[in-house]
Amino acid sequence: MLGPWVDLLVFLIAGLTFPVLNVVLSSLLRRDYPYPEKVMPYESGEDPVGDARVRFRVSYYVFAMLFVVFDVETVFLYPWAVVLRELGLFALIEIIVFIGLLLVGLYYAYKKKVLRWV
Amino acid sequence: MSLQVVAFAVLAALILYGSYKVVASPLITHSALFLALVLVSVAGVFLMLDAVFLAVVQVLVYAGAVMAVIIFAIMLSEQREIGGDPSAQRMGFGEELRRALRSRHWGLLPAAAAALLAVLAIAGIGRLGAPAAPGAASTSVADVGRALLTDYLVPFEIASAVLLAAVIGAIVLTAREGSDARDGGRS
């Protein structure tokens, strides 16, 4: 069924067209006069040092991984919250078990000190 | 041709083009971006099938969180380019495909598997019967919740155990490497 999603489609098209149109329009209107200082990556007026593609710290990955896990947890909470009134105490106990298991993981991360930013 | 057919054709084209570019882009970062395009397009297909919750989950978890992890993993790796041939970016579709097929003989294995899958899918179309009428099998968030907390209670709780394993696995894998990589990178 497409009916209710036409709004979304229009929003998507408008959202894609606006930036593309602006970039195209400005490229038509502006002067094309590049010089080395102008095309270099701008970072607060500082000259860039080295390559942008450095190897990042591995601790970023733990945070991303934890984000995925708790993102998935949030997704599971959503359908639970909708039917909580209907299913009552049973659903409440189920979700406590569900979140409890994940809190064990969070406690493990805390104990392993991966949540600390050094 | 109804709007629905047009929408499906556009989504299918985006998915096919994106999936091809995922494996054919010389830069891994570009592959990741094309993968995001594919995942969002699949969410569009879910929307067309009236699986609203699934579409939201697809965008939230796959296009959001999983893509974040993939991009983090790319930023952690030393090698960002596949093949290292800058001229590959300027190649046409046909040449690109020919080179990809020629470069590794092992590429034939997934190609054969995909062909087999396609044959099976085409053979299966007739057996499945007509697809459900749109709207007939509409699944609301409440339906999903009811199913998860009653009929699929055990998988639901197992999901939490799997997530716990994912947390611990990520910590164990990165903590070992963490000590020597800690001062090497950018803060």
Side-chain angles (χ1 to χ4, degrees), chain B residues 77-92:
Chain B
S77 65
E78 297 283 359
Q79 197 185 2
R80 304 279 168 85
E81 283 171 50
I82 304 166
D85 182 9
S87 70
Q89 277 171 306
R90 297 276 164 270
M91 281 190 303

Side-chain angles (χ1 to χ4, degrees), chain B residues 48-105:
Chain B
M48 289 190 66
L49 291 169
D50 249 357
V52 182
F53 181 66
L54 215 54
V56 171
V57 170
Q58 174 82 10
V59 171
L60 208 66
V61 173
Y62 282 89
V66 172
M67 278 318 296
V69 168
I70 289 174
I71 286 168
F72 272 104
I74 291 170
M75 289 191 336
L76 286 171
S77 65
E78 297 283 359
Q79 197 185 2
R80 304 279 168 85
E81 283 171 50
I82 304 166
D85 182 9
S87 70
Q89 277 171 306
R90 297 276 164 270
M91 281 190 303
F93 182 85
E95 175 65 14
E96 215 173 304
L97 191 67
R98 226 172 296 130
R99 275 206 199 184
L101 285 176
R102 219 188 309 141
S103 59
R104 288 180 203 84
H105 296 298

Side-chain angles (χ1 to χ4, degrees), chain A residues 9-53:
Chain A
L9 198 69
V10 170
F11 179 74
L12 203 67
I13 291 169
L16 284 174
T17 318
F18 184 70
V20 170
L21 196 71
N22 274 321
V23 170
V24 169
L25 270 182
S26 73
S27 78
L28 287 176
L29 291 172
R30 69 166 182 238
R31 288 180 63 205
D32 190 27
Y33 176 48
Y35 48 91
E37 285 77 20
K38 200 170 165 184
V39 294
M40 101 186 166
Y42 179 74
E43 195 180 324
S44 314
E46 295 283 333
D47 284 353
V49 179
D51 195 14
R53 299 175 181 178

